[in-house]
């Protein structure tokens, strides 16, 4: 598979005020090689690929593409030299159709009619069928990613950069994506694959470069290493899998039955007759691809959407008609997915944010006035217990990194000692060490007798901490089943399969 | 064939003239908003165009140079908006409102000594015998060049947005500046050009008010036409041809109420004040209807409208 060197990177450094994002990074990618770039959040992976794609200029070092000096001033130049990129947060335009989105990513697109034909041809050839005239806003996450990939493929790239491509896909969709990538590699296209999902890297990649705090800390052949070994190279410390004391679940704490809710947003999914129950000391994992009703379920459980009293019951008492603060008072705490703007007010300090959610259960008001002493003590307590890295509790929530803010938000809810805690995507965009910490904290809360509901797109996460698993698909919830003994294939089927994808065909139009 | 002393051909012909200023200002603002920028300073740019166009026309004696001067005046004022919102990342709503207040004050200062002067007349295009066709001649072939130019601008903007790559990039920038930036498009540069175009169109519309519609200079001559133009962009749900329809509708209401005021034979007597406020009342009504609930209009708005862009990531 490896032959000539396609891209070599030598001694690249890049500094931002206060941080050295990349420090003397060197590695090589061979033609037709699938090369993994591994590292935690903030390890400098994104900065590095932005330099390769011409979005950022390195301070030092040089890059060589096929023997010639390579220093792209802008993405256009990178694209013209055969470097294409699929972004982590999709670089798509919702209100434009597929063909227009593809045209925007090309430098000399053919006329629309011709382009639509080529999109059909290439997308079918790689097993990623797409209708060029559909609006991107109406597509599923998997389909949206296909648009990005097809946009790259139409330019016949020599190097395809993929930044965390599988975070929103079902297991079946991941398999099909891998089929496409293997096909591309076999045709001689090199792939730079960025991820922190180690099992995927083991399955797909030929070589791996591991970054930590901007430096290369090692290279390896993923097939020869265990996931744990690679994780420890990434983190630079020994990782402990979350543990919990085995305990018999107690009586039923939260009962949801016949919960149907119309979505408040135009592109949302309405909930249809959702029903489940969670016992004290139990963790229920709700899996599903984004946009299948997770947000709406969260809103209905937190009290932001009110329903008939008996659709949501706490210890047998109907609370469906109560708002968020009344539910908090009764012992239901929630942490939504969107950290900035939903779970926390971005421009308010951590202390103020602690007050906003914690005032009811922690009694942070006195005669209608804010008890600042108590509020500060509570915020300090959260920061200390959950190891939130911040200059102080006066810091604005916006200024914290994603992982730190997530630790704060989760900590704020958990330390209110709720009887039921519902979290959506608790470790999204959080690095491995922080994710392990958050999962452990949730398990500890369950051990202390709380009923825990974890809504997540990360199947590995659910398998790791949940006792039972249910899949949310187009607003319907499957019957919860015990996670023990459940295989990834079974989960994939529960999640609604591969949304019409099929394996890449051997014969295809692209050459 | 008059109705209560109102001749339909004259009414239609005059509504076409009356709607030129708001149509030009609205199509300019449409391009600005399509690029994701909300410039509420249309009224200020219009009145700057009105005074700059007036001064240029009076001193040069040429209405055409006057219109160019008006466009330049509007564009120059929009540079201030560009500086504040695109360079210093100031809030667009506040900046736009300030721009209107500043434009009103500055135009009043510049206009000292121009009160009561008649500008050079803008002549209708010579269509020869076509003008004498009954009914249609009066409606279609009796106007000055700006009436036809304003319709041509609508057609050009429509074609640009729909068929050209430049139009696609403009829409993309207004839809998601982060995604556009990630693909390597110069977000700020594109927005600057759009704002300049919007300023020039507003200025052109303003010059039409002081050179043709009124035609003289008084303080506050645009009388809220800029706000009506803003309302028309929403009313048109960001579609160029609907701007034309909207402008004719509002122009029509303005002309009709003037005619009703003058008409002695109309059977129902409506107080003049109600007639005079009707275009503004209808503006408010339209905005309320269009923005209530999750209608098509709100879905059609550019997603990044009013958000500032900074290439930090």
């Amino acid at each position: 598979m490896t032959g000539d060197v396609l891209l070599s990177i030598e001694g690249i450094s890049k500094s931002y005020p206060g941080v050295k994002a990349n420090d003397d990074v060197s590695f090589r990618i061979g033609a037709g090689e699938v090369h993994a770039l591994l590292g935690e959040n903030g390890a400098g992976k994104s900065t590095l690929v932005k330099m390769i794609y011409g979005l950022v200029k390195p301070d030092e070092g040089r890059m060589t593409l096929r023997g010639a000096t390579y220093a792209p001033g802008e993405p256009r130049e990178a694209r013209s030299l055969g470097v294409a990129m699929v972004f982590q947060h999709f670089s798509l335009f919702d209100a434009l159709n597929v063909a227009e989105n593809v045209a925007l990513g090309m430098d000399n697109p053919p006329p629309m009619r011709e382009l639509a034909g080529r999109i059909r041809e290439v997308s079918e050839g790689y097993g990623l069928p797409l209708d060029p005239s559909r609006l991107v806003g109406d597509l599923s996450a998997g389909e949206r990613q296909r648009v990005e990939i097809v946009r790259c493929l139409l330019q016949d790239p020599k190097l395809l950069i993929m930044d965390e491509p599988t975070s929103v896909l079902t297991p079946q969709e991941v398999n099909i994506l891998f089929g496409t990538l293997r096909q591309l590699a076999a045709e001689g296209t090199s792939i730079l694959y960025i991820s922190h999902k180690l099992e995927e890297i083991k399955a797909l990649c030929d070589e791996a470069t591991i970054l930590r705090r901007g430096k290369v800390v090692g290279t390896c052949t993923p097939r020869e290493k265990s996931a744990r070994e690679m994780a420890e190279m990434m983190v630079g410390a020994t990782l402990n899998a979350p543990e919990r004391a085995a305990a018999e679940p107690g009586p039923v704490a939260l009962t949801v039955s016949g919960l149907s809710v119309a979505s408040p947003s135009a592109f949302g999914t309405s909930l249809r007759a959702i029903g489940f129950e969670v016992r004290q000391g139990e963790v229920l994992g709700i899996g599903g691809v984004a946009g299948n009703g997770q947000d709406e379920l969260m809103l209905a459980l937190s009290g932001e959407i009110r329903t008939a009293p008996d659709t949501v019951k706490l210890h047998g008492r109907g609370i469906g008609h109560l708002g968020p603060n009344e539910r908090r008072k009764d012992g239901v705490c929630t942490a939504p997915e969107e950290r900035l703007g939903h779970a926390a007010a971005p421009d308010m300090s951590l202390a103020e944010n602690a007050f906003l959610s914690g005032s009811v259960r922690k009694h942070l008001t006195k005669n209608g006035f804010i008890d600042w002493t108590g509020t500060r003590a509570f915020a300090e307590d959260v920061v200390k217990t959950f190891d939130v890295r911040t200059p102080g509790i006066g810091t604005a929530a916006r200024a914290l990194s994603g992982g730190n803010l997530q630790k704060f938000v989760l900590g704020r809810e958990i330390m209110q000692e709720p009887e039921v805690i519902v979290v959506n995507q608790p470790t999204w965009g959080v690095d491995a060490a922080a994710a392990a910490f958050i999962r452990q904290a949730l398990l500890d809360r369950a051990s202390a007798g709380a009923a825990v509901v974890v809504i997540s797109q990360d199947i590995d996460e659910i398998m790791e901490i949940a006792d039972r698993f249910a899949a949310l698909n187009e607003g319907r919830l499957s019957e919860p089943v015990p996670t023990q003994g459940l295989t990834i294939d079974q989960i994939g089927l529960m999640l609604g399969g591969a949304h019409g994808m099929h394996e890449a065909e051997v014969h295809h139009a692209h050459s | 064939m008059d109705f209560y002393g109102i001749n339909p051909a004259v009414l239609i012909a005059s509504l076409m003239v009356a709607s030129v200023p708001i149509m030009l200002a609205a199509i300019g603002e449409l391009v600005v908003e399509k690029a994701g920028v909300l410039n509420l300073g249309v009224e200020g740019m219009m009145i700057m165009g009105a005074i700059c166009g007036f001064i240029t026309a009076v001193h040069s004696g040429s209405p055409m140079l006057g219109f160019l001067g008006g466009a330049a005046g509007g564009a120059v004022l929009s540079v201030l908006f560009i500086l504040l919102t695109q360079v210093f990342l100031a809030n667009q709503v506040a900046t736009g409102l300030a721009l209107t207040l500043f434009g009103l004050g500055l135009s009043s200062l510049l206009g000292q000594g121009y009160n009561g002067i008649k500008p050079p007349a803008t002549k209708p295009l010579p269509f020869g015998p076509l003008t004498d066709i009954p009914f249609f001649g009066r409606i279609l072939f009796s106007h000055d060049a700006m009436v036809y130019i304003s319709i041509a601008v609508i057609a050009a903007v429509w074609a640009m947005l729909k068929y050209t790559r430049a139009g696609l990039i403009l829409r993309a920038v207004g839809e998601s500046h982060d995604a556009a930036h990630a693909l390597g498009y110069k977000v700020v540069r594109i927005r600057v050009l759009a704002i300049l175009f919007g300023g020039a169109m507003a200025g052109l519309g303003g010059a039409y008010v002081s050179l043709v519609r009124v035609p003289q200079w008084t303080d506050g001559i645009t009388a809220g036409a800029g706000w009506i133009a803003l309302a028309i962009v929403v009313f048109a749900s960001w579609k160029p041809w609907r701007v034309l329809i909207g402008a004719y509708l509002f122009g029509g209401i303005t002309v009709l109420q003037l005619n009703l005021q003058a008409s002695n034979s109309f059977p129902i007597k409506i107080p003049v004040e109600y007639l005079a406020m009707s275009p503004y009342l209808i503006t408010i009504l339209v905005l309320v209807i269009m923005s209530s609930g999750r209608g098509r209009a709100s879905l059609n708005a550019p997603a990044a409208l009013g958000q500032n862009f900074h290439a930090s990531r």
Side-chain angles (χ1 to χ4, degrees), chain A residues 295 335-344 405-406 409 424-425 428:
Chain A
D295 294 340
E337 173 183 8
E338 181 66 37
R339 290 185 281 262
L340 284 174
H342 195 178
L405 185 57
Q406 185 70 5
V409 167
N424 190 6
Q425 296 278 64
W428 188 78

Side-chain angles (χ1 to χ4, degrees), chain B residues 99-118:
Chain B
L99 202 68
T100 290
L101 294 174
F102 180 63
L104 286 169
L106 186 61
S107 66
S108 175
L109 180 69
L110 290 173
Q112 294 291 323
Y114 286 92
N115 289 317
I117 299 177
K118 266 232 162 289

